[in-house]
Amino acid sequence: MGTMRDAKTPDPARRNERSREAILNAAVELVGEVGYARLTVEAIAARAGVGKQTIYRWWSSKGAVVLDAFIAWSGAGGDTSLPDTGDIEKDLRAVLRATVAELREPRFDLPSRALTAESQMDPELAKQFVDAVLRPHLEATKERLRGAQKAGQVAKGIDLDVAVELLFGPLYHRWLLRTAPLTEAYADTVVDYALRALGPSEPAGARTPNAPGKRAPKGARKGGAA
Amino acid sequence: MGTMRDAKTPDPARRNERSREAILNAAVELVGEVGYARLTVEAIAARAGVGKQTIYRWWSSKGAVVLDAFIAWSGAGGDTSLPDTGDIEKDLRAVLRATVAELREPRFDLPSRALTAESQMDPELAKQFVDAVLRPHLEATKERLRGAQKAGQVAKGIDLDVAVELLFGPLYHRWLLRTAPLTEAYADTVVDYALRALGPSEPAGARTPNAPGKRAPKGARKGGAA
Amino acid sequence: MGTMRDAKTPDPARRNERSREAILNAAVELVGEVGYARLTVEAIAARAGVGKQTIYRWWSSKGAVVLDAFIAWSGAGGDTSLPDTGDIEKDLRAVLRATVAELREPRFDLPSRALTAESQMDPELAKQFVDAVLRPHLEATKERLRGAQKAGQVAKGIDLDVAVELLFGPLYHRWLLRTAPLTEAYADTVVDYALRALGPSEPAGARTPNAPGKRAPKGARKGGAA
Amino acid sequence: MGTMRDAKTPDPARRNERSREAILNAAVELVGEVGYARLTVEAIAARAGVGKQTIYRWWSSKGAVVLDAFIAWSGAGGDTSLPDTGDIEKDLRAVLRATVAELREPRFDLPSRALTAESQMDPELAKQFVDAVLRPHLEATKERLRGAQKAGQVAKGIDLDVAVELLFGPLYHRWLLRTAPLTEAYADTVVDYALRALGPSEPAGARTPNAPGKRAPKGARKGGAA
DNA sequence: TGGTAAACGAGACGGTACGTCGAGTCTTCTT
DNA sequence: AAGAAGACTCGACGTACCGTCTCGTTTACCA
């Protein structure tokens, strides 16, 4: 009766913060050392100097620990909003370049791949992963695009969810499948192409592909899609 | 010296074709029944009426078996070239719609996800998976785009690798991350947006988004990005 | 330094007594059912309702389990000392007859043979087997012989270790090699012959072999060495 | 009908003698190198440059191969009869000392132990082993004892089978159980004690144990039963 | 401020699957 | 027809981790 909790649910108030941190640190370290597949709960517990039960008490699976560890380590939850310089192309380039930079960083790349992979087999983890890690970035980009739409830099009828996917989809595809290297120039090219699709109609002659101009800087043209 | 093989390598000529087929069939069935994560080599062997060693003799891992099974089952190796009706939009819609249809088919969806996931942890498997399953489709699309480029339907300077990613990247992103449902209308929208990016410049007034016309049929407009 | 144990050694205090007993019982049962050669650790674990690891944690081999099971079952560790009626021949007959009786009992015979055989291949097991099972009996017999020596029933200079072997060696030989059946009469004969070797010198005419008397009762004379 | 052999029985006439020898040699070598327990049919076949089937065609088990190999190697089948110098003690000492020497020779000790052990689990092998290897020696000894009996060196009523066991049993016991080292002095002691049991009665005073004389030489007295 | 209940470290437990080994059988090709 | 070679099915091996379950031992609240 009353506020009696389920007997099995642990009391977060009594949780040992020290253990929590040790577990998360151990998880991050071990993913880096042996990869996700060879990572074991037992090894995390041993490295953290913690009983296995303490892990199972607070997390439901190896994936959940790694997700938390990744979130804690990557400082997720901070401000994900894009800069708004008034120039949508410039701002998108900044965000796609930053994304490429992250994906090239092993500390980021490895757990991200692992979590993406694990998400294919664990819908609950997938939801948490997308909501905690990816959605904020996608939403921030969408928000910036909405601003551009109001400013007339993006056509009115555009579906902004698809617009976001037009930007991140190609990166994601190339990253996961390793079909070609991820470079900043590639990020620029994707922004360039995407904005052609999203932008409003233009005066005749203004949209000649490859015409010199800020939309198609040399770097993007040349090495863009190596 | 000469053609001497490693003493440990089994001789493919003496391979039992019956066992090979039974293993592949068992693998396909079991992935469908219990999913990839709960799939075990032991279960495959049991179902196939085969010794475990026979699996380990010819495949290096569970993933390798599933890949082979998937290739055999999906009839990969067939003709992957796109139709060429002369209308690039129509042809791309056909291929993206077909892709969406496949991804919605559990028999295709499940092993594809599993192999994509497993590829993140096994570079060798990744290579084989991409080369055997994905590359042919991407290359075929690229080839069709090259034709369109010659026909003036796609701008001259476009990087066709990026173009292909502009088409498949969004689908792939949505499929793997399950951020929104994959529909035919979505496929149409992606084709529509992508072609705006890839197409040659047009006379003023001709490129108003959402203007009625084959590029933006009602279906695509409405449900495109649910 | 000090009492620190090897990190890998399990803590006997935390051992599950129930599991230990179940394993030992299963081992005894199974040796009886399928014999030692066809006995498997897996079967013991299954029969005992126990994980294989629990067996490997506490025993080093199949042989070690069977030895423990045999010791537990045969109630080894009890009092092995011989009766001392003052008549050495009577006492030795009792013990050799009892030995023959045991060796004819399948529950005793089978594991004994198995452990003897296994001991030939595993010196550590051999040591434990001899110390735990055989030595007590040999020592007890030796002790009784020492008493007889003091009482003048056994000659002074006799090496009692050899004396013991003179008694048990023939039984053991016949038992292991199955060259002839093991009978009580045989046991009596062996005692008779051995005591002739061990006894003090006697008055002339007193030691005619086959002379009627307690040393050579009819039974022993006739079927003794069939 | 008629003389048609069972289809499965191979024709000894067509047997490849070269292979037979190679197998036997390989078996002897390998028992010496890795011991019987770790000896495998596969290894024998590989070492002999022979197909496994060729082994299974002609022998029923690993033990059977080793038995044949041992017989061939030890030159069994030769003359096993004892010398007859007229002095039974001298002759028995020679044979027991020779036995001790053999048992101390690893080439003899290892396969003998293995075959004895294996015999506990394989009655068919046991029979062959005893008949081919042991029986001849035991019979030869028995024969010599029969001679001694006729010569009055052994009492009339003695059961010669038991007599033989009185001689070899102690050696066998000590050898298999490794309760004490096997030495020549020990062999002498056993002969000494056994002959006291077997010999005819003697004039009073003649049989004082430890009395100086050929029956109890210093060596035997001292180290006999270390 | 001492009692008590929770979380904790440790690690044994019943299990499942691993990847390997060898047994004995079954081709297939060679001598 | 027997043999060399070796792939096959089968069963067990001993190991690694899983997730659960005791064990004492802190630790933090509250009586």
Side-chain angles (χ1 to χ4, degrees):
Chain A
M1 67 179 80
T3 57
M4 205 174 81
R5 269 183 297 97
D6 176 353
K8 265 70 171 289
T9 305
D11 180 354
R14 314 199 65 166
R15 182 167 188 180
N16 185 334
E17 180 59 20
R18 240 211 205 352
S19 296
R20 194 187 135 271
E21 280 170 19
I23 290 164
L24 262 20
N25 286 338
V28 171
E29 287 173 31
L30 285 166
V31 172
E33 290 173 25
V34 304
Y36 181 83
R38 271 191 281 280
L39 179 67
T40 67
V41 172
E42 230 149 44
I44 296 172
R47 173 75 63 101
V50 138
K52 277 200 290 179
Q53 198 57 45
T54 301
I55 295 182
Y56 285 110
R57 182 150 37 229
W58 302 109
W59 289 275
S60 60
S61 68
K62 179 174 82 166
V65 179
V66 172
L67 176 58
D68 264 19
F70 182 60
I71 290 171
W73 173 83
S74 71
D79 182 18
T80 54
S81 66
L82 273 65
D84 185 348
T85 63
D87 180 347
I88 184 65
E89 178 167 16
K90 188 176 169 191
D91 294 349
L92 289 178
R93 260 189 208 179
V95 74
L96 283 235
R97 283 181 174 203
T99 301
V100 162
E102 275 186 336
L103 294 176
R104 292 166 64 99
E105 173 75 44
R107 283 259 232 281
F108 200 96
D109 171 287
L110 263 58
S112 295
R113 282 182 196 280
L115 290 166
T116 303
E118 200 66 3
S119 288
Q120 302 311 311
M121 284 142 181
D122 182 345
E124 180 54 34
L125 178 69
K127 195 181 176 323
Q128 291 184 272
F129 175 52
V130 169
D131 287 352
V133 178
L134 300 179
R135 185 103 61 208
H137 289 286
L138 303 179
E139 282 300 319
T141 305
K142 189 174 166 188
E143 202 48 46
R144 181 64 190 81
L145 284 171
R146 202 191 314 279
Q149 209 170 26
K150 279 179 186 150
Q153 294 173 312
V154 164
K156 285 274 151 30
I158 290 295
D159 182 320
L160 295 183
D161 286 310
V162 182
V164 167
E165 289 168 331
L166 215 59
L167 288 159
F168 288 100
L171 256 67
Y172 191 72
H173 191 270
R174 187 170 280 207
W175 171 61
L176 271 185
L177 300 177
R178 303 178 203 257
T179 41
L182 275 183
T183 62
E184 294 214 332
Y186 174 66
D188 291 346
T189 305
V190 169
V191 170
D192 183 29
Y193 287 17
L195 283 182
R196 287 191 214 173
L198 305 176
S201 62
E202 296 173 19
R207 283 198 74 257
T208 311
N210 281 339
K214 64 173 178 161
R215 260 186 193 164
K218 275 172 199 137
R221 278 287 82 70
K222 291 272 171 57
Chain B
M1 71 176 71
T3 59
M4 204 174 82
R5 267 183 300 99
D6 177 351
K8 264 71 171 286
T9 303
D11 180 353
R14 314 195 62 171
R15 184 166 188 178
N16 185 333
E17 181 60 20
R18 245 160 138 77
S19 296
R20 194 186 133 272
E21 280 168 21
I23 289 164
L24 261 20
N25 287 338
V28 171
E29 287 173 30
L30 285 166
V31 171
E33 290 173 26
V34 304
Y36 181 83
R38 271 190 280 280
L39 178 67
T40 66
V41 172
E42 224 147 47
I44 296 173
R47 173 75 61 102
V50 138
K52 275 200 289 180
Q53 200 61 56
T54 300
I55 297 183
Y56 285 111
R57 186 162 20 241
W58 301 110
W59 290 276
S60 59
S61 67
K62 180 175 81 167
V65 179
V66 172
L67 175 58
D68 265 18
F70 182 59
I71 289 171
W73 173 82
S74 70
D79 183 17
T80 54
S81 65
L82 274 65
D84 186 347
T85 64
D87 180 348
I88 183 65
E89 178 168 14
K90 187 176 169 192
D91 294 348
L92 288 178
R93 261 191 207 178
V95 74
L96 283 235
R97 282 182 175 204
T99 301
V100 162
E102 276 185 336
L103 294 176
R104 292 165 64 100
E105 172 74 45
R107 284 261 231 279
F108 202 96
D109 171 287
L110 263 58
S112 296
R113 281 182 197 281
L115 289 167
T116 304
E118 201 66 3
S119 288
Q120 302 312 311
M121 284 142 180
D122 182 344
E124 181 53 34
L125 178 70
K127 195 181 177 322
Q128 291 184 272
F129 175 52
V130 169
D131 286 351
V133 177
L134 299 179
R135 184 103 60 207
H137 290 285
L138 303 179
E139 283 300 318
T141 304
K142 188 174 166 188
E143 202 48 45
R144 180 64 190 82
L145 284 171
R146 202 190 317 278
Q149 210 170 25
K150 280 180 185 146
Q153 294 173 312
V154 163
K156 286 275 154 22
I158 291 294
D159 182 319
L160 294 183
D161 286 309
V162 181
V164 167
E165 289 168 330
L166 214 59
L167 287 159
F168 288 101
L171 255 67
Y172 191 70
H173 191 270
R174 187 170 279 206
W175 172 62
L176 270 185
L177 300 177
R178 304 177 203 256
T179 42
L182 274 183
T183 62
E184 293 214 334
Y186 175 67
D188 290 348
T189 304
V190 169
V191 170
D192 182 29
Y193 288 16
L195 283 182
R196 288 191 213 171
L198 306 177
S201 61
E202 297 174 16
R207 281 197 75 256
T208 310
N210 282 337
K214 64 171 179 161
R215 258 185 194 163
K218 275 177 198 131
R221 275 291 81 70
K222 289 270 171 61
Chain C
M1 71 174 73
T3 59
M4 204 174 81
R5 264 183 301 98
D6 177 353
K8 265 68 170 288
T9 305
D11 180 353
R14 314 194 59 176
R15 183 166 188 178
N16 186 333
E17 181 59 20
R18 247 160 134 81
S19 297
R20 194 187 133 271
E21 280 167 20
I23 290 164
L24 261 19
N25 287 337
V28 171
E29 287 173 31
L30 285 166
V31 172
E33 290 173 26
V34 304
Y36 182 83
R38 269 191 281 282
L39 177 66
T40 67
V41 172
E42 223 147 48
I44 297 172
R47 173 76 62 102
V50 138
K52 274 199 289 179
Q53 199 60 55
T54 300
I55 296 182
Y56 285 112
R57 183 154 31 236
W58 302 109
W59 288 276
S60 60
S61 66
K62 180 174 80 166
V65 179
V66 172
L67 174 57
D68 266 18
F70 182 59
I71 291 171
W73 172 83
S74 69
D79 182 19
T80 54
S81 65
L82 274 67
D84 185 348
T85 64
D87 179 350
I88 184 66
E89 178 168 16
K90 186 175 171 192
D91 294 348
L92 290 178
R93 260 188 208 181
V95 73
L96 283 238
R97 283 181 174 205
T99 302
V100 162
E102 275 186 335
L103 294 177
R104 292 167 66 99
E105 173 75 43
R107 283 260 231 281
F108 200 97
D109 172 285
L110 264 57
S112 294
R113 280 183 197 280
L115 289 167
T116 303
E118 200 67 3
S119 287
Q120 302 312 311
M121 283 140 181
D122 182 343
E124 181 53 34
L125 178 70
K127 196 183 175 320
Q128 291 183 273
F129 176 52
V130 169
D131 287 351
V133 178
L134 299 179
R135 184 104 60 207
H137 289 286
L138 304 179
E139 284 299 318
T141 304
K142 187 174 167 188
E143 201 50 43
R144 180 66 189 81
L145 285 170
R146 202 190 316 279
Q149 209 168 27
K150 279 177 186 151
Q153 295 173 311
V154 164
K156 286 273 150 33
I158 291 294
D159 183 319
L160 296 183
D161 287 308
V162 182
V164 168
E165 288 168 332
L166 215 58
L167 287 159
F168 288 99
L171 255 68
Y172 191 71
H173 190 271
R174 187 170 280 208
W175 171 61
L176 273 185
L177 300 178
R178 303 177 205 257
T179 42
L182 274 182
T183 62
E184 293 214 334
Y186 175 66
D188 291 346
T189 306
V190 169
V191 170
D192 181 31
Y193 287 16
L195 282 181
R196 286 190 213 171
L198 305 176
S201 60
E202 296 173 20
R207 279 198 75 255
T208 310
N210 282 337
K214 62 174 178 161
R215 259 182 193 164
K218 274 170 199 140
R221 277 285 86 69
K222 291 271 169 59
Chain D
M1 70 179 76
T3 59
M4 205 173 80
R5 268 185 295 101
D6 176 353
K8 263 71 172 288
T9 303
D11 179 354
R14 314 202 67 174
R15 182 166 189 178
N16 184 335
E17 181 59 20
R18 243 225 219 330
S19 296
R20 194 187 135 272
E21 280 169 19
I23 289 164
L24 261 20
N25 287 337
V28 171
E29 286 172 32
L30 285 166
V31 171
E33 290 173 27
V34 304
Y36 182 82
R38 272 192 280 282
L39 178 68
T40 66
V41 172
E42 228 149 44
I44 296 173
R47 172 76 62 102
V50 138
K52 278 200 289 178
Q53 198 56 48
T54 301
I55 295 182
Y56 285 110
R57 185 156 24 239
W58 301 108
W59 289 275
S60 61
S61 67
K62 179 173 81 165
V65 179
V66 172
L67 176 58
D68 265 19
F70 183 59
I71 291 171
W73 173 83
S74 69
D79 182 19
T80 54
S81 66
L82 272 66
D84 185 347
T85 63
D87 180 348
I88 184 65
E89 178 169 16
K90 186 175 170 193
D91 293 349
L92 289 179
R93 260 189 209 180
V95 73
L96 283 236
R97 282 183 176 204
T99 302
V100 162
E102 275 185 337
L103 294 177
R104 292 166 64 99
E105 172 76 45
R107 285 258 231 281
F108 201 96
D109 172 287
L110 263 58
S112 295
R113 280 182 197 280
L115 289 166
T116 303
E118 199 68 1
S119 288
Q120 302 312 311
M121 284 141 179
D122 182 343
E124 180 53 34
L125 178 70
K127 195 182 177 321
Q128 291 184 274
F129 175 53
V130 169
D131 286 351
V133 178
L134 299 180
R135 185 104 59 207
H137 290 286
L138 302 180
E139 283 299 320
T141 305
K142 188 174 166 189
E143 202 49 44
R144 180 66 191 80
L145 284 170
R146 202 190 316 277
Q149 209 169 28
K150 280 177 185 150
Q153 293 172 312
V154 164
K156 286 274 154 24
I158 291 294
D159 182 320
L160 295 183
D161 287 309
V162 181
V164 167
E165 288 168 332
L166 213 59
L167 287 160
F168 289 101
L171 255 67
Y172 192 70
H173 191 271
R174 187 170 279 207
W175 171 61
L176 271 186
L177 300 178
R178 303 177 204 259
T179 41
L182 273 183
T183 63
E184 293 214 333
Y186 175 67
D188 290 348
T189 305
V190 170
V191 171
D192 182 30
Y193 287 16
L195 283 181
R196 286 190 214 174
L198 305 177
S201 61
E202 297 173 20
R207 279 197 75 253
T208 310
N210 282 337
K214 64 174 178 159
R215 258 184 195 164
K218 272 173 201 142
R221 276 286 85 68
K222 289 272 170 60

